[in-house]
Amino acid sequence: MKRVLALDQASRTTGWAVFEDKNLVTFGKFTATEEDIGERLYEIRRHVERLILDYNIDEVVFEDIQLQNNVLNNVQTFKVLAEVFGIIDELLTEKKIPHIAVLASSWKSTLSIKGKTRPEQKRNAQAYVEKTYGVKATQDESDAICIGSHYTQKNAQADTIVDGGFSWSI
């Protein structure tokens, strides 16, 4: 049985969930508190590394990033998220842990998470988690659980999705 870590990573609060096959084992969130972005990135890396060790993780799935239209400070936000993405990708590559990045639109489509606005989609993700797994989770935790749920459903349909790198295919 494979242990999968799902991440809804951000530059401050990151939601995470651990799955064994299709079963949700545990979930939570951590907050990087450092003001300096370099220190915060290091803190994020340490948290992810600790989760990998604590839960004996075999694979990781995390949310891909994309440039959003009509969002205030979008380029700066995208830059910071790209740095977070990079440190996680680098850590997993270093540890030789298979990993994959999925677009939010992919996991929302798989799980039928609808909504015209981002807050509505966040509430619907929380409702999906409560209905599917019987747990109340924060928005960050719910997104991580949904990312993991998407991955475990798609992974069950294929022999191998991850190959030690990341892909935008699922």
Side-chain angles (χ1 to χ4, degrees):
M1 295 195 298
K2 289 185 182 180
R3 283 240 164 158
V4 175
L5 173 64
L7 298 170
D8 177 38
Q9 76 278 5
S11 67
R12 291 285 181 187
T13 302
T14 294
W16 58 270
V18 176
F19 286 80
E20 195 166 82
D21 294 325
K22 286 188 172 186
N23 300 312
L24 177 64
V25 175
T26 190
F27 63 94
K29 64 182 179 177
F30 63 81
T31 301
T33 57
E34 297 293 334
E35 284 305 312
D36 177 75
I37 187 61
E39 292 293 326
R40 209 161 58 234
L41 291 169
Y42 180 70
E43 191 176 354
I44 292 165
R45 179 189 162 102
R46 282 192 355 257
H47 279 292
V48 172
E49 190 167 24
R50 181 85 264 150
L51 289 168
I52 290 166
L53 293 172
D54 287 351
Y55 294 103
N56 196 25
I57 299 299
D58 299 303
E59 298 176 0
V60 177
V61 58
F62 55 105
E63 193 168 73
D64 205 344
I65 59 172
Q66 60 187 23
L67 195 58
Q68 302 287 323
N69 292 327
N70 304 320
V71 176
L72 187 63
N73 298 324
N74 189 39
V75 172
Q76 183 60 33
T77 300
F78 183 78
K79 178 183 173 193
V80 172
L81 289 175
E83 292 179 286
V84 173
F85 185 102
I87 62 119
I88 292 171
D89 185 47
E90 185 270 338
L91 170 65
L92 300 173
T93 300
E94 175 186 305
K95 301 232 173 255
K96 296 182 178 18
I97 297 174
H99 54 286
I100 191 166
V102 298
L103 290 170
S105 58
S106 293
W107 66 259
K108 288 175 185 176
S109 175
T110 298
L111 305 179
S112 298
I113 305 292
K114 308 277 188 227
K116 291 184 179 185
T117 65
R118 188 168 187 257
E120 186 179 358
Q121 292 170 5
K122 293 280 188 183
R123 285 190 303 275
N124 290 339
Q126 285 179 290
Y128 172 87
V129 167
E130 188 169 359
K131 180 180 177 189
T132 305
Y133 297 101
V135 297
K136 287 188 181 274
T138 67
Q139 289 181 349
D140 297 307
E141 294 166 337
S142 292
D143 283 0
I145 293 167
C146 287
I147 291 164
S149 184
H150 160 82
Y151 177 77
T152 59
Q153 287 181 34
K154 290 294 186 180
N155 200 28
Q157 298 169 5
D159 290 334
T160 303
I161 291 179
V162 293
D163 64 359
F166 60 87
S167 168
W168 293 271
S169 61
I170 67 169

